[in-house]
Amino acid sequence: MIENCSLEVYNHGQKTNNLGLKLGILATSLLISDATAISVTVAPMEATFSNISATTVESLVTIPSFSMLLFILLSNFVIRLIGKKKTVLLGLSMAFIGGVLPAFVTSFPAIIFCRFLLGAGVGTYNTLAVGLISDFFTGVEQKKLLGFQTATSAIGSALTTFLAGILVSYDWHYAYLVYALSIPILLVFYLNVPEPSKKIANDSSALNAQKKNKIKLNSTVILSVVSMFFMFVFLMNIATKTS
C-alpha cells in the first residue's frame, strides 16, 4: 500500500500526524538563538537606567547564554525526572515568563533575573530540539529535518530581531514582547508531539556494542570548541555594541 503525504507515525499506541509532528519539533528551534534579539534595547535602556553602568546594561544580552549553558548541563536530570515532552513544555513556559516580563517591570534587578530565567528555559529544552528528531525519524528523513532545524533556528533569530527593531521604536519595553512567540510554539508542540518511547537496551550484547561505539574527544574537537568560544565572544561583543 502506497502511503501519501498524510503518512502517520505511531507512538505508544497513539496516532500522530507526520506533518504536525515535524512542525511541532521544528517550532522549538525558533527561540534557541534569540537571546541577542533585544540587543537593540541596550542604548535606550542605558538612558533609562542612567545610574547603572553601560557594561551592566549590556550584560542583559549575554546573561541568557550563561544560564542556558548551565541548564543544558542539568537538562538530562530534568528529562529523567519528568520526561522529554514535559521538559520542552517546562522550558518554553520558563522562556515565556523570563522573556516577556521585562516588558512590564521597571526594576533592573528583576529584569536581570528575567533574562537569566529566559536562558534557563531555553537551555532546559535546547538539546531536545535536535534529540526529538532522532527519536521519531531515521535515515534520509532525519537528515532533512536536521537541516531544517538549523534553518528554523536562523529564521527565528532573524524574525525576533526584526520585530524587536520595530517595537523598540515605540518603547524599549515593547521589544521584549517578541518572546511571546513561545506561546504559539508551546501550543503547536503540545498538540502535535507525543512523549517518545523509551529505548532500553536489555541484552548484554547491546550494552557491549554501546560501550565499543563510545566516541572520545580528540584534539580536533577540542580545538574547534575553543575556536567557536572565541568566535562567539567577538560576535556577542558586536551584538552588544551595535545599538
Side-chain angles (χ1 to χ4, degrees), residues 23-45:
L23 292 176
I25 295 174
L26 291 176
T28 61
S29 298
L30 285 170
L31 288 181
I32 61 176
S33 301
D34 296 347
T36 60
I38 52 83
S39 60
V40 70
T41 66
V42 170
M45 289 184 75

Side-chain angles (χ1 to χ4, degrees), residues 78-121:
V78 179
I79 291 169
R80 288 196 298 268
L81 193 65
I82 64 176
K84 292 184 177 181
K85 181 171 183 176
K86 290 181 179 178
T87 298
V88 175
L89 296 175
L90 174 64
L92 286 170
S93 300
M94 292 167 62
F96 169 72
I97 296 170
V100 172
L101 270 185
F104 306 99
V105 300
T106 55
S107 168
F108 191 79
I111 295 174
I112 288 181
F113 173 76
C114 289
R115 295 295 290 168
F116 181 90
L117 184 61
L118 170 68

Side-chain angles (χ1 to χ4, degrees), residues 6 19 25 28 38 48 64 66 69 72 82 85 88 96 100 111 118 138 146 158 173 188 202 209 217 219 229 233 235:
S6 62
L19 178 60
I25 295 174
T28 61
I38 52 83
T48 301
F66 290 103
L69 174 62
I72 284 174
I82 64 176
K85 181 171 183 176
V88 175
F96 169 72
V100 172
I111 295 174
L118 170 68
T138 58
L146 289 173
H173 286 90
V188 170
N202 292 318
L217 292 179
S219 57
F229 172 79
V233 166
L235 288 177

Side-chain angles (χ1 to χ4, degrees), residues 140-152:
V140 175
E141 196 77 358
Q142 183 188 87
K143 293 175 182 178
K144 286 181 180 179
L145 286 174
L146 289 173
F148 287 143
Q149 186 273 332
T150 303
T152 303

Side-chain angles (χ1 to χ4, degrees), residues 187-205:
L187 291 174
V188 170
F189 180 86
Y190 175 76
L191 293 173
N192 292 288
V193 183
E195 177 68 25
S197 57
K198 294 181 180 179
K199 299 176 182 178
I200 303 174
N202 292 318
D203 58 349
S204 57
S205 59

Side-chain angles (χ1 to χ4, degrees), residues 181-242:
L181 287 171
S182 54
I183 291 300
I185 293 172
L186 187 151
L187 291 174
V188 170
F189 180 86
Y190 175 76
L191 293 173
N192 292 288
V193 183
E195 177 68 25
S197 57
K198 294 181 180 179
K199 299 176 182 178
I200 303 174
N202 292 318
D203 58 349
S204 57
S205 59
L207 291 173
N208 291 332
Q210 286 182 356
K211 290 179 181 179
K212 290 180 180 179
N213 290 331
K214 282 186 178 179
I215 300 174
K216 295 182 180 180
L217 292 179
N218 55 44
S219 57
T220 304
V221 174
I222 295 173
L223 179 61
S224 299
V225 171
V226 173
S227 300
M228 290 290 287
F229 172 79
F230 284 105
M231 184 187 80
F232 278 101
V233 166
F234 291 119
L235 288 177
M236 196 63 70
N237 188 54
I238 293 171
T240 56
K241 298 295 184 183
T242 299

